[in-house]
Short mmCIF file of all heavy atoms in Angstrom, two decimals:
data_model
loop_
_atom_site.label_atom_id
_atom_site.label_comp_id
_atom_site.label_asym_id
_atom_site.label_seq_id
_atom_site.Cartn_x
_atom_site.Cartn_y
_atom_site.Cartn_z
N ALA A 845 31.62 1.34 4.34
CA ALA A 845 30.27 1.89 4.24
C ALA A 845 29.44 1.10 3.24
O ALA A 845 28.26 0.80 3.48
CB ALA A 845 30.33 3.36 3.82
N TYR A 846 30.07 0.74 2.13
CA TYR A 846 29.40 -0.07 1.10
C TYR A 846 28.91 -1.39 1.68
O TYR A 846 27.75 -1.78 1.48
CB TYR A 846 30.36 -0.31 -0.06
CG TYR A 846 30.00 -1.49 -0.94
CD1 TYR A 846 29.04 -1.35 -1.94
CD2 TYR A 846 30.61 -2.72 -0.76
CE1 TYR A 846 28.69 -2.44 -2.74
CE2 TYR A 846 30.28 -3.80 -1.56
CZ TYR A 846 29.33 -3.65 -2.55
OH TYR A 846 28.99 -4.74 -3.32
N ALA A 852 22.51 -4.12 5.04
CA ALA A 852 21.22 -3.64 5.54
C ALA A 852 20.14 -3.74 4.48
O ALA A 852 18.97 -4.05 4.79
CB ALA A 852 21.36 -2.20 6.03
N VAL A 889 25.42 1.40 -9.17
CA VAL A 889 25.95 0.67 -10.32
C VAL A 889 25.58 -0.80 -10.24
O VAL A 889 25.24 -1.44 -11.25
CB VAL A 889 27.49 0.82 -10.38
CG1 VAL A 889 28.08 -0.12 -11.44
CG2 VAL A 889 27.86 2.26 -10.70
N LEU A 997 13.26 -13.37 1.63
CA LEU A 997 12.89 -12.88 2.96
C LEU A 997 11.47 -12.33 3.00
O LEU A 997 10.82 -12.32 4.04
CB LEU A 997 13.87 -11.79 3.40
CG LEU A 997 15.26 -12.24 3.87
CD1 LEU A 997 16.12 -11.03 4.19
CD2 LEU A 997 15.16 -13.16 5.08
N LEU A 1022 28.44 -40.28 -4.91
CA LEU A 1022 28.38 -41.48 -5.75
C LEU A 1022 29.00 -41.24 -7.12
O LEU A 1022 29.10 -42.17 -7.92
CB LEU A 1022 26.93 -41.94 -5.91
CG LEU A 1022 26.25 -42.45 -4.63
CD1 LEU A 1022 24.77 -42.74 -4.89
CD2 LEU A 1022 26.96 -43.70 -4.11
N ALA A 1057 2.42 2.45 -12.62
CA ALA A 1057 1.98 1.90 -13.90
C ALA A 1057 3.12 1.68 -14.88
O ALA A 1057 3.14 0.71 -15.63
CB ALA A 1057 0.93 2.83 -14.52
N GLN A 1061 6.85 -3.44 -12.13
CA GLN A 1061 7.41 -4.29 -11.10
C GLN A 1061 6.31 -5.00 -10.34
O GLN A 1061 5.16 -4.56 -10.30
CB GLN A 1061 8.26 -3.48 -10.13
CG GLN A 1061 9.61 -3.08 -10.71
CD GLN A 1061 10.50 -2.47 -9.64
OE1 GLN A 1061 10.03 -1.67 -8.86
NE2 GLN A 1061 11.76 -2.85 -9.64
N ARG A 1077 19.31 2.90 13.12
CA ARG A 1077 20.20 3.93 13.66
C ARG A 1077 20.11 3.97 15.19
O ARG A 1077 21.10 4.07 15.89
CB ARG A 1077 19.83 5.30 13.08
CG ARG A 1077 20.79 6.40 13.48
CD ARG A 1077 20.31 7.76 13.00
NE ARG A 1077 20.11 7.79 11.57
CZ ARG A 1077 18.93 7.88 10.99
NH1 ARG A 1077 17.82 7.95 11.73
NH2 ARG A 1077 18.81 7.92 9.69
#
Side-chain angles (χ1 to χ4, degrees):
Y846 160 82
V889 171
L997 284 176
L1022 294 174
Q1061 285 189 317
R1077 186 186 303 111

